Amino acid sequence: MVKSETARILLVEDERPLREALADALSAEGFSVEQAATGAAGLAAFRAQTPDLVLLDLMLPEMSGIEVCRAIRTNSSVPVIMVTAKASETDRVAGLNLGADDYVTKPFSSRELSARIRAVLRRSGATPAPSAERLVRIGEAEIDLEGQRILRNGAVVHVKPKAFQLLAFLIANAGRVYSREQLLDRVWGYDYAGETRTVDVHMHALRRAIEATPASPVALQTVRNIGYVLRRTT
Ligand code: CA
């Protein structure tokens, strides 16, 4: 991953002193930070700026962090870290399966938070790539890494956000073979309790999205008895 490009973080937090302290701390860690004080403002900023990661407070006035996360997830697989006030809230919110990538519980140190942010960015494959790599051709499709879209003959092919994250991860690690367990760990997260079959289902969807002949994939190959690899031919 390229370190010279700054990951852009959208911070949605209504408590101003906390928001400003976090923005300062994350800026000092090398992130570019945009701030929003309400859920609605956060959503508007998200749509206008397409940040690399959203740091989202759970308890927000009017529109809660849960609603904001749901709205984001209708059309984006951008990494989201939810900020909760109590560990019990984290359990409850995680149980709702909102599609957040990680959760942090107040209080937390800025060092811990930036480590979590970096881990989530790495896992999602959403760390900004060199500009030439923002649009990559894989199989029959063009992958718009910045817009998180798959294009085929100029038309958007819809896949689930996790499928896109899986594809982005494999693009970032092209030529490396991963087991299903490794992909679950790297893409879904260390605490994901699902089955390795989940990987197969998403891989199947990706093959249909990008391969000329999904049954005989050229790019998204199965490595027998091991797992999967993305091969780039161009
Ligand atoms: Ca709050």
Side-chain angles (χ1 to χ4, degrees), residues 1 7-12 31 42 46 50-57 65 68-70 72-73 75-83 98-103 113-128 145-148 161-162 164-166 168-169 186-189:
M1 290 297 144
R8 294 164 307 129
I9 296 176
L10 173 61
L11 167 61
V12 189
F31 298 108
F46 171 75
T50 57
D52 298 311
L53 181 141
V54 181
L55 192 58
L56 186 57
D57 187 30
V68 176
C69 190
R70 284 214 174 104
I72 288 173
R73 277 288 171 265
N75 60 7
S76 172
S77 55
V78 67
V80 174
I81 298 180
M82 293 287 287
V83 179
L98 303 173
D101 297 84
D102 202 356
Y103 303 86
L113 180 62
S114 55
R116 300 282 276 273
I117 288 171
R118 285 184 220 285
V120 167
L121 285 172
R122 258 199 315 275
R123 237 161 44 206
S124 71
T127 308
L145 291 171
E146 187 165 46
Q148 307 198 357
K162 272 297 174 206
F164 192 89
Q165 286 177 25
L166 174 61
F169 176 81
R186 301 291 290 276
V187 178
W188 275 259

Side-chain angles (χ1 to χ4, degrees), residues 54-193:
V54 181
L55 192 58
L56 186 57
D57 187 30
L58 173 67
M59 301 297 284
L60 293 166
E62 292 160 29
M63 190 179 190
S64 74
I66 290 174
E67 292 169 287
V68 176
C69 190
R70 284 214 174 104
I72 288 173
R73 277 288 171 265
T74 57
N75 60 7
S76 172
S77 55
V78 67
V80 174
I81 298 180
M82 293 287 287
V83 179
T84 63
K86 292 183 292 243
S88 57
E89 277 178 1
T90 303
D91 292 342
R92 192 167 57 81
V93 173
L96 288 173
N97 194 10
L98 303 173
D101 297 84
D102 202 356
Y103 303 86
V104 290
T105 306
K106 295 173 185 174
F108 47 79
S109 70
S110 56
R111 174 182 265 184
E112 180 196 348
L113 180 62
S114 55
R116 300 282 276 273
I117 288 171
R118 285 184 220 285
V120 167
L121 285 172
R122 258 199 315 275
R123 237 161 44 206
S124 71
T127 308
S131 53
E133 283 283 287
R134 288 278 163 112
L135 204 61
V136 297
R137 176 159 272 287
I138 300 285
E140 294 289 296
E142 280 190 314
I143 318 302
D144 174 2
L145 291 171
E146 187 165 46
Q148 307 198 357
R149 301 180 305 169
I150 297 175
L151 300 163
R152 196 155 166 169
N153 301 321
V156 175
V157 181
H158 290 281
V159 296
K160 289 184 174 172
K162 272 297 174 206
F164 192 89
Q165 286 177 25
L166 174 61
L167 180 60
F169 176 81
L170 289 169
I171 289 171
N173 297 282
R176 290 190 208 163
V177 179
Y178 290 94
S179 70
R180 291 166 178 80
E181 289 80 7
Q182 285 172 322
L183 291 172
L184 273 183
D185 184 53
R186 301 291 290 276
V187 178
W188 275 259
Y190 54 89
D191 54 356
Y192 181 73

